[in-house]
Amino acid sequence: MLEVAGLTAGYGAVRALDGVDLAVEEGSLTAVLGANGAGKTTLLRTVSGLLRPRAGRIALDGRDLARLPVEEIVRLGVAHVPQSGGVITELTVEENLRLGGLYRRDRRALARRVAQMYELFPPLEPRRSRAAATLSGGERQMLALARALTGAPRLLLVDEPSLGLAPRVVARLMAVLRRLCDEDGRTVLLVEQNARSALSVADRAVVLDLGTVVADEPAGVLAADSRLRHAYLGF
Ligand code: ATP
């Protein structure tokens, strides 16, 4: 579904991605792992159009995204949940959810979708009229994911949802991401520092180091490879 080939991108003199190749199958969960500064966030930002590549190709169902405006990339079904979520703290939970469906013309479908989000993330429902500022870290991360899902994306890009959350909350979020693939047929590209959690739900894992791909394997194979784990994943 998503094909990245020879992708090079950076900031000024910094080359954050250097010839990255990657293929993501529809309905799968792919983890992007690697140390701080490996280029994981840059990869997501380049796919969603926030950063323009210097070279290479990013194709969604064969269509090149590299030169499309961000709003067009969103319309094609790509949603990006940035690190720390990016929910609007002054707005209520429900207002944040509705924002995520801004591109949906059908208001009834939007209302249905918002209701589904309360089913998927039960802690959000009793808090629907509260400002997002009052939510815990885990609830905010749920809201960020739910907001992205309100737009019914086909490809969900999620940047370090586990950051700062208790292990129990992380496990719950990972299980939701897995369900989105298995039950909804959505495709997830998940950036994580928490490699162990990500590998527990991923189909495939890609390891980045200094902007290049050093491993691209089924998640189970990577989890069993102690050499790679020690070298790049810290466990
Ligand atoms: P982290 O887990 O810390 O977010 P990462 O794997 O996501 O790490 P990136 O954030 O993609 O890594 O960063 C890749 C490289 O690009 C790093 O060397 C980083 O310092 C650099 N970089 C990232 N953002 C910028 C920026 N806005 N300006 C300049 N350099 C940047």
Side-chain angles (χ1 to χ4, degrees), residues 11 14 16 35-42 83 160 193:
Y11 313 87
V14 177
N36 268 323
K40 307 181 297 296
T41 295
T42 304
Q83 228 171 79
E160 294 212 28
Q193 289 267 348

PDB file of all heavy atoms in Angstrom, residues 11 14 16 35-42 83 160 193, ligand 1:
ATOM      1  N   TYR A  11      17.326  18.480   7.367  1.00  0.00           N
ATOM      2  CA  TYR A  11      17.117  19.859   7.826  1.00  0.00           C
ATOM      3  C   TYR A  11      18.443  20.585   7.635  1.00  0.00           C
ATOM      4  O   TYR A  11      19.419  20.245   8.319  1.00  0.00           O
ATOM      5  CB  TYR A  11      16.738  19.869   9.305  1.00  0.00           C
ATOM      6  CG  TYR A  11      15.663  18.870   9.678  1.00  0.00           C
ATOM      7  CD1 TYR A  11      15.997  17.559  10.025  1.00  0.00           C
ATOM      8  CD2 TYR A  11      14.318  19.236   9.677  1.00  0.00           C
ATOM      9  CE1 TYR A  11      15.018  16.639  10.375  1.00  0.00           C
ATOM     10  CE2 TYR A  11      13.335  18.319  10.025  1.00  0.00           C
ATOM     11  CZ  TYR A  11      13.696  17.031  10.370  1.00  0.00           C
ATOM     12  OH  TYR A  11      12.725  16.132  10.714  1.00  0.00           O
ATOM     13  N   VAL A  14      21.782  18.830   8.041  1.00  0.00           N
ATOM     14  CA  VAL A  14      21.544  17.512   8.655  1.00  0.00           C
ATOM     15  C   VAL A  14      20.818  16.604   7.674  1.00  0.00           C
ATOM     16  O   VAL A  14      19.739  16.942   7.187  1.00  0.00           O
ATOM     17  CB  VAL A  14      20.687  17.639   9.938  1.00  0.00           C
ATOM     18  CG1 VAL A  14      20.391  16.268  10.527  1.00  0.00           C
ATOM     19  CG2 VAL A  14      21.362  18.536  10.952  1.00  0.00           C
ATOM     20  N   ALA A  16      18.799  13.567   7.722  1.00  0.00           N
ATOM     21  CA  ALA A  16      18.126  12.725   8.719  1.00  0.00           C
ATOM     22  C   ALA A  16      17.715  11.370   8.141  1.00  0.00           C
ATOM     23  O   ALA A  16      17.624  10.385   8.863  1.00  0.00           O
ATOM     24  CB  ALA A  16      16.909  13.456   9.279  1.00  0.00           C
ATOM     25  N   ALA A  35      17.267   4.211  17.758  1.00  0.00           N
ATOM     26  CA  ALA A  35      17.637   5.109  18.850  1.00  0.00           C
ATOM     27  C   ALA A  35      17.156   6.538  18.587  1.00  0.00           C
ATOM     28  O   ALA A  35      16.672   6.851  17.495  1.00  0.00           O
ATOM     29  CB  ALA A  35      19.153   5.093  19.004  1.00  0.00           C
ATOM     30  N   ASN A  36      17.332   7.382  19.575  1.00  0.00           N
ATOM     31  CA  ASN A  36      17.096   8.817  19.415  1.00  0.00           C
ATOM     32  C   ASN A  36      17.877   9.344  18.229  1.00  0.00           C
ATOM     33  O   ASN A  36      19.052   9.038  18.096  1.00  0.00           O
ATOM     34  CB  ASN A  36      17.628   9.564  20.641  1.00  0.00           C
ATOM     35  CG  ASN A  36      16.569   9.741  21.691  1.00  0.00           C
ATOM     36  OD1 ASN A  36      15.413   9.970  21.350  1.00  0.00           O
ATOM     37  ND2 ASN A  36      16.954   9.632  22.931  1.00  0.00           N
ATOM     38  N   GLY A  37      17.205  10.142  17.401  1.00  0.00           N
ATOM     39  CA  GLY A  37      17.923  10.756  16.293  1.00  0.00           C
ATOM     40  C   GLY A  37      18.140   9.855  15.096  1.00  0.00           C
ATOM     41  O   GLY A  37      18.796  10.237  14.134  1.00  0.00           O
ATOM     42  N   ALA A  38      17.542   8.650  15.113  1.00  0.00           N
ATOM     43  CA  ALA A  38      17.739   7.702  14.012  1.00  0.00           C
ATOM     44  C   ALA A  38      17.030   8.155  12.730  1.00  0.00           C
ATOM     45  O   ALA A  38      17.371   7.710  11.643  1.00  0.00           O
ATOM     46  CB  ALA A  38      17.241   6.318  14.425  1.00  0.00           C
ATOM     47  N   GLY A  39      16.011   9.025  12.891  1.00  0.00           N
ATOM     48  CA  GLY A  39      15.279   9.509  11.724  1.00  0.00           C
ATOM     49  C   GLY A  39      13.834   9.058  11.677  1.00  0.00           C
ATOM     50  O   GLY A  39      13.132   9.275  10.681  1.00  0.00           O
ATOM     51  N   LYS A  40      13.349   8.470  12.764  1.00  0.00           N
ATOM     52  CA  LYS A  40      11.994   7.894  12.766  1.00  0.00           C
ATOM     53  C   LYS A  40      10.921   8.970  12.574  1.00  0.00           C
ATOM     54  O   LYS A  40      10.029   8.827  11.742  1.00  0.00           O
ATOM     55  CB  LYS A  40      11.747   7.137  14.093  1.00  0.00           C
ATOM     56  CG  LYS A  40      12.809   6.114  14.417  1.00  0.00           C
ATOM     57  CD  LYS A  40      12.534   5.373  15.712  1.00  0.00           C
ATOM     58  CE  LYS A  40      12.537   6.249  16.954  1.00  0.00           C
ATOM     59  NZ  LYS A  40      13.856   6.876  17.242  1.00  0.00           N
ATOM     60  N   THR A  41      11.030  10.037  13.367  1.00  0.00           N
ATOM     61  CA  THR A  41      10.050  11.122  13.260  1.00  0.00           C
ATOM     62  C   THR A  41      10.117  11.763  11.880  1.00  0.00           C
ATOM     63  O   THR A  41       9.084  12.073  11.274  1.00  0.00           O
ATOM     64  CB  THR A  41      10.326  12.178  14.359  1.00  0.00           C
ATOM     65  OG1 THR A  41      10.091  11.563  15.626  1.00  0.00           O
ATOM     66  CG2 THR A  41       9.428  13.395  14.222  1.00  0.00           C
ATOM     67  N   THR A  42      11.319  11.913  11.387  1.00  0.00           N
ATOM     68  CA  THR A  42      11.492  12.519  10.060  1.00  0.00           C
ATOM     69  C   THR A  42      10.808  11.670   8.987  1.00  0.00           C
ATOM     70  O   THR A  42      10.190  12.209   8.062  1.00  0.00           O
ATOM     71  CB  THR A  42      12.997  12.689   9.750  1.00  0.00           C
ATOM     72  OG1 THR A  42      13.585  13.462  10.801  1.00  0.00           O
ATOM     73  CG2 THR A  42      13.212  13.377   8.415  1.00  0.00           C
ATOM     74  N   GLN A  83       4.182  13.178  17.907  1.00  0.00           N
ATOM     75  CA  GLN A  83       4.659  12.891  19.260  1.00  0.00           C
ATOM     76  C   GLN A  83       3.914  13.813  20.222  1.00  0.00           C
ATOM     77  O   GLN A  83       3.737  14.983  19.923  1.00  0.00           O
ATOM     78  CB  GLN A  83       6.150  13.216  19.306  1.00  0.00           C
ATOM     79  CG  GLN A  83       6.984  12.139  19.926  1.00  0.00           C
ATOM     80  CD  GLN A  83       8.473  12.434  19.741  1.00  0.00           C
ATOM     81  OE1 GLN A  83       9.032  13.236  20.448  1.00  0.00           O
ATOM     82  NE2 GLN A  83       9.076  11.773  18.770  1.00  0.00           N
ATOM     83  N   GLU A 160       5.469   7.642  18.564  1.00  0.00           N
ATOM     84  CA  GLU A 160       5.750   7.396  19.990  1.00  0.00           C
ATOM     85  C   GLU A 160       4.565   7.609  20.923  1.00  0.00           C
ATOM     86  O   GLU A 160       4.644   8.431  21.847  1.00  0.00           O
ATOM     87  CB  GLU A 160       6.915   8.277  20.438  1.00  0.00           C
ATOM     88  CG  GLU A 160       8.180   7.868  19.732  1.00  0.00           C
ATOM     89  CD  GLU A 160       9.434   8.063  20.553  1.00  0.00           C
ATOM     90  OE1 GLU A 160       9.352   8.000  21.781  1.00  0.00           O
ATOM     91  OE2 GLU A 160      10.475   8.264  19.936  1.00  0.00           O
ATOM     92  N   GLN A 193      10.127   4.180  20.589  1.00  0.00           N
ATOM     93  CA  GLN A 193      11.379   3.931  21.321  1.00  0.00           C
ATOM     94  C   GLN A 193      11.207   2.663  22.145  1.00  0.00           C
ATOM     95  O   GLN A 193      12.165   1.956  22.421  1.00  0.00           O
ATOM     96  CB  GLN A 193      11.641   5.072  22.310  1.00  0.00           C
ATOM     97  CG  GLN A 193      12.036   6.363  21.691  1.00  0.00           C
ATOM     98  CD  GLN A 193      13.547   6.502  21.596  1.00  0.00           C
ATOM     99  OE1 GLN A 193      14.284   5.721  22.188  1.00  0.00           O
ATOM    100  NE2 GLN A 193      13.995   7.466  20.835  1.00  0.00           N
TER     101      GLN A 193
HETATM  102  P1  ATP B   1      13.566  10.867  18.471  1.00  0.00           P
HETATM  103  O1  ATP B   1      13.142   9.558  18.982  1.00  0.00           O
HETATM  104  O2  ATP B   1      14.514  11.576  19.387  1.00  0.00           O
HETATM  105  O3  ATP B   1      12.456  11.726  17.995  1.00  0.00           O
HETATM  106  P2  ATP B   1      14.060  10.177  15.742  1.00  0.00           P
HETATM  107  O4  ATP B   1      14.555   8.831  15.394  1.00  0.00           O
HETATM  108  O5  ATP B   1      12.621  10.436  15.574  1.00  0.00           O
HETATM  109  O6  ATP B   1      14.500  10.533  17.208  1.00  0.00           O
HETATM  110  P3  ATP B   1      14.448  12.495  14.118  1.00  0.00           P
HETATM  111  O7  ATP B   1      13.682  13.365  15.049  1.00  0.00           O
HETATM  112  O8  ATP B   1      13.821  12.115  12.844  1.00  0.00           O
HETATM  113  O9  ATP B   1      14.912  11.175  14.886  1.00  0.00           O
HETATM  114  O10 ATP B   1      15.860  13.212  13.853  1.00  0.00           O
HETATM  115  C1  ATP B   1      16.798  12.743  12.904  1.00  0.00           C
HETATM  116  C2  ATP B   1      17.972  13.736  12.844  1.00  0.00           C
HETATM  117  O11 ATP B   1      17.510  14.987  12.365  1.00  0.00           O
HETATM  118  C3  ATP B   1      18.622  14.016  14.186  1.00  0.00           C
HETATM  119  O12 ATP B   1      20.004  14.165  13.950  1.00  0.00           O
HETATM  120  C4  ATP B   1      17.997  15.310  14.617  1.00  0.00           C
HETATM  121  O13 ATP B   1      18.890  16.028  15.462  1.00  0.00           O
HETATM  122  C5  ATP B   1      17.788  16.019  13.306  1.00  0.00           C
HETATM  123  N1  ATP B   1      16.637  16.943  13.348  1.00  0.00           N
HETATM  124  C6  ATP B   1      15.353  16.592  13.624  1.00  0.00           C
HETATM  125  N2  ATP B   1      14.531  17.672  13.542  1.00  0.00           N
HETATM  126  C7  ATP B   1      15.319  18.705  13.198  1.00  0.00           C
HETATM  127  C8  ATP B   1      15.072  20.097  12.941  1.00  0.00           C
HETATM  128  N3  ATP B   1      13.841  20.622  12.994  1.00  0.00           N
HETATM  129  N4  ATP B   1      16.132  20.864  12.609  1.00  0.00           N
HETATM  130  C9  ATP B   1      17.391  20.347  12.521  1.00  0.00           C
HETATM  131  N5  ATP B   1      17.678  19.051  12.745  1.00  0.00           N
HETATM  132  C10 ATP B   1      16.671  18.244  13.079  1.00  0.00           C
END
